[in-house]
Amino acid sequence: MKRNLIKFVNDKAKYNDLYRKSLMTNLSNSGTKVSSLGVFESVGSTLSFLCLNFKNEKIVSSNLKTNLFSLLFCFKPQVLIINGLGRYRTSQRFRLLLRVLLDYRNSSVQAIFQNYADYRFYRRFCNHAKVYWVPGSGGVSRKIGVSENSFVAIQRDSKLSLVAKSIQECASLIQEVKAGDSLSFTLVGCSIRNELAKAQLPNFENVGRYAQDDIFIDGRSFIQPEGYGEGIPHTLVDAMCSGMKVFIKKQCFLRYGLHKLHCKFSCIGNGWGELGATANASKEVSLESVNESYISIISSMNKLKK
């Protein structure tokens, strides 16, 4: 019996290892032959991607740059995992371009949006494309701290300038709401020498980078800042799956589709609130549940013409 062949493509192959490894493993265990390609790692890898048009492999594409390249130059059945439009979200021209490309490819392309607001837009305005919403890449339960008065923000150096103001705004508001309580604020994921953290996050202790399993050990409460321009942040769904208290802006709460997962939002002021995530909501954003959704959509490619 002929095995299904699926090529996972991304800007770099290491991104598939970081964010799609579990999904690839599950597909492989089900009998599908899975391989990975970084489209923009070299001229050779780009040519290898273009050659897929002449091979009996279906495509699962991630990251916006690779998604667009795949829509333009690969004419095989494919699934696009679109984590978010990022800085292009407010560009009407870009939104129109993606809409035209998706509709042009019709049912041979299935687009999975991780950001609910993006999904809602394309579901409304695409005439022929198949669009789906899957909430993120899947969260896992991690070790967390003891005290709910210990707050953790997870960022990396390249993103901190976009979100530092929001993180500090939330911390200042929490200090007002919990005046008199003993509170601690910890920044994880940035360089110890990050000058921006020192200047804009005076309330936070910057502890540098931890092993992935330990990113929450300094707190039991999680701050999700706005300014993040993509899909549902990995650390947010990890925090939900780990049973942390989550503080988030109402706008982000709606953009990520958390209301569609029947989560509650309890306002504490200035648009910030505490996320009320049910056990079922945490299950829906878990790695196991999300992978099941992806596999269901990817498997439907087998019904399409090659």
Side-chain angles (χ1 to χ4, degrees):
M1 185 175 180
K2 199 170 184 178
R3 296 178 70 188
N4 294 320
L5 306 176
I6 294 180
K7 179 79 75 175
F8 277 73
V9 298
N10 214 314
D11 294 3
K12 296 182 179 181
K14 69 178 184 179
Y15 296 153
N16 284 331
D17 290 335
L18 286 171
Y19 304 119
R20 304 286 175 250
K21 185 174 182 179
S22 175
L23 176 58
M24 294 167 66
T25 299
N26 286 356
L27 283 167
S28 181
N29 290 341
S30 68
T32 299
K33 184 176 180 180
V34 176
S35 57
S36 176
L37 176 67
V39 178
F40 302 112
E41 290 183 333
S42 66
V43 174
S45 65
T46 303
L47 292 175
S48 294
F49 172 78
L50 295 175
C51 288
L52 291 175
N53 282 300
F54 309 103
K55 295 183 178 181
N56 185 30
E57 289 180 279
K58 297 181 175 67
I59 309 298
V60 176
S61 171
S62 300
N63 274 0
L64 197 56
K65 183 179 177 181
T66 297
N67 289 338
L68 289 174
F69 195 76
S70 190
L71 281 171
L72 288 167
F73 299 111
C74 187
F75 304 100
K76 300 177 69 61
Q78 56 188 290
V79 168
L80 306 181
I81 300 177
I82 304 174
N83 59 336
L85 301 187
R87 63 181 182 275
Y88 299 111
R89 178 170 291 115
T90 58
S91 171
Q92 292 184 358
R93 290 182 179 180
F94 183 84
R95 282 178 175 267
L96 177 61
L97 171 64
L98 183 56
R99 174 189 166 190
V100 169
L101 288 173
L102 289 173
D103 271 341
Y104 173 73
R105 296 296 305 278
N106 208 327
S107 60
S108 67
V109 169
Q110 301 180 83
I112 304 173
F113 290 91
Q114 294 185 347
N115 184 294
Y116 180 76
D118 295 337
Y119 159 74
R120 187 177 59 183
F121 175 87
Y122 286 98
R123 180 191 61 182
R124 178 179 179 185
F125 292 109
C126 282
N127 296 317
H128 305 293
K130 291 184 176 181
V131 297
Y132 306 86
W133 174 55
V134 175
S137 295
V140 297
S141 178
R142 303 191 186 279
K143 295 176 288 186
I144 63 176
V146 176
S147 173
E148 291 183 349
N149 283 339
S150 296
F151 298 82
V152 176
I154 314 293
Q155 286 301 321
R156 55 182 186 266
D157 292 319
S158 61
K159 296 283 189 179
L160 188 60
S161 62
L162 301 174
V163 299
K165 183 178 179 180
S166 178
I167 293 173
Q168 182 58 36
E169 178 187 43
C170 182
S172 298
L173 180 62
I174 289 171
Q175 286 181 314
E176 292 179 17
V177 172
K178 292 180 170 287
D181 290 356
S182 177
L183 308 175
S184 69
F185 297 90
T186 304
L187 176 67
V188 178
C190 292
S191 167
I192 289 288
R193 298 181 178 85
N194 191 301
E195 295 298 326
L196 184 64
K198 295 177 183 178
Q200 296 196 19
L201 299 174
N203 298 335
F204 282 77
E205 179 186 2
N206 180 6
V207 296
R209 300 182 180 95
Y210 284 170
Q212 196 68 19
D213 285 341
D214 296 332
I215 58 175
F216 296 143
I217 60 173
D218 287 327
R220 204 174 186 88
S221 296
F222 175 79
I223 295 175
Q224 174 57 53
E226 63 177 345
Y228 188 95
E230 300 178 0
I232 299 183
H234 295 283
T235 50
L236 171 59
V237 293
D238 282 352
M240 291 173 63
C241 291
S242 301
M244 300 183 78
K245 275 193 172 184
V246 174
F247 293 85
I248 188 171
K249 276 271 191 173
K250 182 67 174 287
Q251 185 178 6
C252 296
F253 172 82
L254 297 173
R255 181 183 300 152
Y256 299 151
L258 298 176
H259 58 301
K260 291 296 181 179
L261 301 177
H262 306 291
C263 295
K264 303 297 182 182
F265 181 87
S266 302
C267 184
I268 62 172
N270 295 339
W272 286 93
E274 183 180 334
L275 175 69
T278 63
N280 189 59
S282 297
K283 181 180 178 181
E284 286 192 60
V285 299
S286 69
L287 185 61
E288 180 181 0
S289 180
V290 164
N291 276 350
E292 287 178 1
S293 297
Y294 283 131
I295 289 172
S296 176
I297 297 167
I298 291 170
S299 297
S300 68
M301 279 198 297
N302 296 326
K303 303 174 184 178
L304 302 176
K305 294 181 180 180
K306 298 177 184 177

